[in-house]
Amino acid sequence: MNIHANVLNTTAADSFLDNIRKDVLKITGDALKDSSIHSIASCYATQDPATKRMLTAAITYAEESLQKYNVLIEGPSGTGKELVARILSHKRKPLKAMNMAGLTDTLFQSELFGYMPGAFTGAKSRGDVGFLRAVGKGTAFLDEIGELPLAHQAKLLRVLQDKTVLPVGAVDPVPIQCRFVFATNRDLLKMVKEGSFREDLYFRINELGLKTFSLQQRGVQEIRCVASAIIAEENWTPIGEREHFSDETFSFGNVRALRNLLLKRELGEIELPEYDKGE
Ligand SMILES: Nc1ncnc2c1ncn2[C@@H]1O[C@H](COP(=O)(O)OP(=O)(O)OP(=O)(O)O)[C@@H](O)[C@H]1O
Ligand SMILES: [Mg+2]
């Protein structure tokens, strides 16, 4: 079923999405009974209800019967999109990532789709299978998908629709078997409205969608929770009951920045403010 022409207005699109929802509902219960999955998701420290719901959805989307659907993970930089991609791929290994930013036209095609022997100057003599075939039946994680130029977007759409690639210099397309996961820190819907991201591609990559939130959006308690997880992992000094993360000490909302702050604290370069200090 081609839902990607005028997808916003068609009833075909609605029924396609209904089918996805039914598929999701059917398996959610079983997926959540499997406790091994929870340990996979436990690498993502959180106490925020919306983030817990997102992780539950990621666990569900990792299930066999939903692997035919493409997943888009949207969220600010450093908020764990790659961790979510790992949860999604735990049954579909290997997970291989490729960054879509800064790919020239030739690189985009040869790196993703591969090339035939002698396809261009400097090519390997035996050719190359390219990223998407090298992933095999695993998960292809195309990161920073919002950076993909329009010309490449059309080519990627064709690949997603046909589940084949045309290696550079080849005559016949070759089937691919990977699962696709995409991530972006851009507002793709806004880019669609502005004309810099194809609407049909947006709906194709976003058959199932997940959103990560900044630490600030998740609240002060969340900063403490994630900080404790990082400290436990690194074996650093636990956070005292009185220490806290004021807006001045932590204004980034980004887990990488939080880790850097905690490292400085561990090295004694900074101190976190304390409640009721001096009492
Ligand atoms: N909730 C969390 N609990 C523990 N560690 C986390 C959490 N979220 C992110 N991290 C850690 O923060 C770092 C950044 O996470 P990750 O690379 O997944 O973010 P990202 O959203 O892909 O960032 P970018 O947009 O910059 O690519 C990683 O080291 C990751 O392990
Ligand atoms: Mg990332």
Side-chain angles (χ1 to χ4, degrees), residues 26-40:
K26 220 165 32 201
I27 65 143
T28 303
D30 289 342
L32 293 180
K33 277 183 215 136
D34 180 354
S35 62
S36 67
I37 302 174
H38 289 282
S39 68
I40 291 155

Side-chain angles (χ1 to χ4, degrees), residues 3-22:
I3 65 155
H4 298 284
N6 300 319
V7 69
L8 287 173
N9 306 321
T10 59
T11 48
D14 284 344
S15 76
F16 179 84
L17 292 173
D18 270 352
N19 281 340
I20 294 183
R21 269 181 227 117
K22 270 186 218 138

Side-chain angles (χ1 to χ4, degrees), residues 42-46 51 75-84 141 143-144 183-185 212 215 218 222 225-226 229-230 233 254-256 259:
S42 70
C43 63
Y44 198 108
T46 188
T51 302
S77 180
T79 53
K81 294 188 291 298
E82 192 154 340
L83 282 182
V84 175
F141 178 41
D143 206 358
E144 300 202 35
T184 185
N185 54 20
T212 60
L215 289 171
R218 294 188 244 156
E222 182 77 347
C225 165
V226 176
I230 293 171
E233 187 190 312
N254 173 318
V255 179
R256 270 194 211 101
R259 183 184 290 274

Side-chain angles (χ1 to χ4, degrees), residues 25 39 46 95 115 135 159 201 207 224:
L25 283 176
S39 68
T46 188
L95 168 77
Y115 56 84
V135 175
V159 169
L201 182 61
E207 287 168 343
R224 227 183 158 75

